[in-house]
Amino acid sequence: MTALNKILIVFAFLIVLPLGNFLKAAEEIPFSTKKERNHITKGNKLYEEGKFREAIQQYKDALEENPSSLVGRYNLGLSEIRIGSNSNDTTEAAKKMLESGMKSMQQVANLGSKRPDLASKANYNLGNVAFNSEDYKKAIDYYKQSLRLNPEDENARRNLRIAQLKIQNEDQNQDQNQDQEQNEDQQDQQDQQDQNQDQNEDQNQDQQDQNQDQQDQENQQPQSNLNQQTAEQILNAIENKENQTRARVAGQNAEKSRQRNRNRRNW
């Protein structure tokens, strides 16, 4: 496992505002009511206890008292994201919960001029959702916007760097895959060339063998004719010799016959 994979994305936790700080924040929001603040306080306590669904109901009640409450909207969105981001829950209800939480978080992120502190954290959380969905480019955009609103947010800066490293690793892996595919293509081409070369060599060898066989046959034919001619010459020589022998014998017999005839006349 690489060092990058060991790094965990840091999620922004729920803003739990002490009473004094919350009252100061409420002064910036028109029509803030005591019931709204009470619902948010109860919701924050339930959130800390991990009772996110009960907390969601309290934040919804706060928004019914004051639909313009950015704190109530942020905390509602964060609670819904916590439920919808549960990797063990892949139901359609969880998906809709995540979408609803992102919608609420985006509404807060769009109001950076009124509450840059909340808008910064909203962009940060949207960046984390995008990161977990492996949409690293979108995550980088959210982290950068978070840092524009709050340059001191080290968590956003850290997660931004992680997302950038993720994209860098993806690009490197893509380049390696492309190089591997090119090498495989080149190897396939080389194998095909080798195969074609082997086929050509086999064909050339077959042709050479055929040519050699044909040449051998052509060379053997005169040798057969030569033997036949030699045989005929030998036969002719034997026949001539026999004729000469017969002629000589016939001549000798004729000479003997003439000699006998002379002898008879002398007697």
Side-chain angles (χ1 to χ4, degrees):
M1 180 180 294
T2 63
L4 177 61
N5 292 331
K6 294 180 180 179
I7 300 175
L8 299 178
I9 294 295
V10 181
F11 275 89
F13 291 102
L14 174 68
I15 297 178
V16 181
L17 298 174
L19 181 59
N21 291 339
F22 179 77
L23 290 176
K24 181 178 179 181
E27 293 175 357
E28 302 177 8
I29 305 175
F31 312 115
S32 177
T33 66
K34 183 177 181 180
K35 287 184 178 181
E36 172 199 344
R37 296 193 296 272
N38 288 338
H39 285 306
I40 291 177
T41 300
K42 291 179 181 180
N44 291 348
K45 185 175 183 298
L46 290 168
Y47 184 97
E48 289 177 336
E49 295 173 356
K51 300 176 181 179
F52 303 123
R53 296 187 182 276
E54 292 87 340
I56 286 173
Q57 187 57 53
Q58 290 297 323
Y59 297 137
K60 287 182 177 180
D61 292 340
L63 288 170
E64 287 184 0
E65 292 294 328
N66 179 15
S68 300
S69 175
L70 294 182
V71 175
R73 181 71 60 188
Y74 175 90
N75 289 354
L76 171 63
L78 187 59
S79 300
E80 291 175 332
I81 288 176
R82 287 297 295 267
I83 294 175
S85 297
N86 186 356
S87 59
N88 296 325
D89 189 352
T90 58
T91 62
E92 188 66 23
K95 181 180 178 181
K96 290 182 178 179
M97 184 72 74
L98 178 59
E99 291 175 351
S100 177
M102 293 176 63
K103 181 178 179 181
S104 295
M105 201 65 67
Q106 190 64 59
Q107 290 173 346
V108 178
N110 292 338
L111 298 175
S113 59
K114 292 184 178 180
R115 288 295 301 272
D117 56 336
L118 286 180
S120 174
K121 290 180 171 59
N123 280 285
Y124 175 84
N125 288 322
L126 289 169
N128 290 342
V129 172
F131 185 97
N132 289 335
S133 299
E134 298 184 356
D135 191 348
Y136 304 121
K137 291 183 179 180
K138 183 179 290 186
I140 288 174
D141 292 337
Y142 281 126
Y143 291 142
K144 286 182 177 180
Q145 182 61 23
S146 176
L147 287 170
R148 292 188 188 99
L149 295 168
N150 180 15
E152 304 301 323
D153 190 342
E154 293 301 323
N155 288 334
R157 194 180 311 280
R158 176 173 175 268
N159 288 0
L160 170 63
R161 181 55 181 160
I162 295 173
Q164 290 172 335
L165 290 174
K166 277 287 188 179
I167 291 182
Q168 181 178 348
N169 287 343
E170 284 186 345
D171 293 341
Q172 291 177 351
N173 292 334
Q174 184 176 3
D175 292 340
Q176 291 176 358
N177 291 336
Q178 289 178 349
D179 292 341
Q180 183 176 359
E181 290 177 356
Q182 291 178 353
N183 291 335
E184 291 176 353
D185 291 340
Q186 292 176 355
Q187 184 62 42
D188 291 340
Q189 293 177 357
Q190 183 62 42
D191 292 341
Q192 185 64 37
Q193 291 177 356
D194 293 341
Q195 183 177 0
N196 293 338
Q197 183 176 358
D198 292 339
Q199 292 177 351
N200 291 334
E201 290 178 355
D202 292 339
Q203 292 176 355
N204 292 336
Q205 185 63 41
D206 292 341
Q207 185 64 38
Q208 290 177 1
D209 293 341
Q210 292 177 359
N211 293 338
Q212 184 64 40
D213 292 341
Q214 183 177 2
Q215 184 177 2
D216 292 341
Q217 292 175 359
E218 293 175 351
N219 291 337
Q220 290 171 1
Q221 187 66 27
Q223 181 66 30
S224 175
N225 293 335
L226 178 62
N227 292 336
Q228 184 176 358
Q229 292 175 359
T230 302
E232 291 179 353
Q233 290 175 358
I234 293 173
L235 290 174
N236 292 332
I238 292 174
E239 186 177 357
N240 292 333
K241 187 175 182 179
E242 289 178 348
N243 291 333
Q244 291 175 0
T245 301
R246 285 194 295 269
R248 184 173 62 256
V249 171
Q252 290 177 354
N253 291 334
E255 181 64 26
K256 289 179 179 180
S257 178
R258 286 194 296 272
Q259 185 69 31
R260 285 195 300 268
N261 291 329
R262 285 195 297 270
N263 292 332
R264 287 191 193 102
R265 287 193 298 269
N266 293 331
W267 290 349

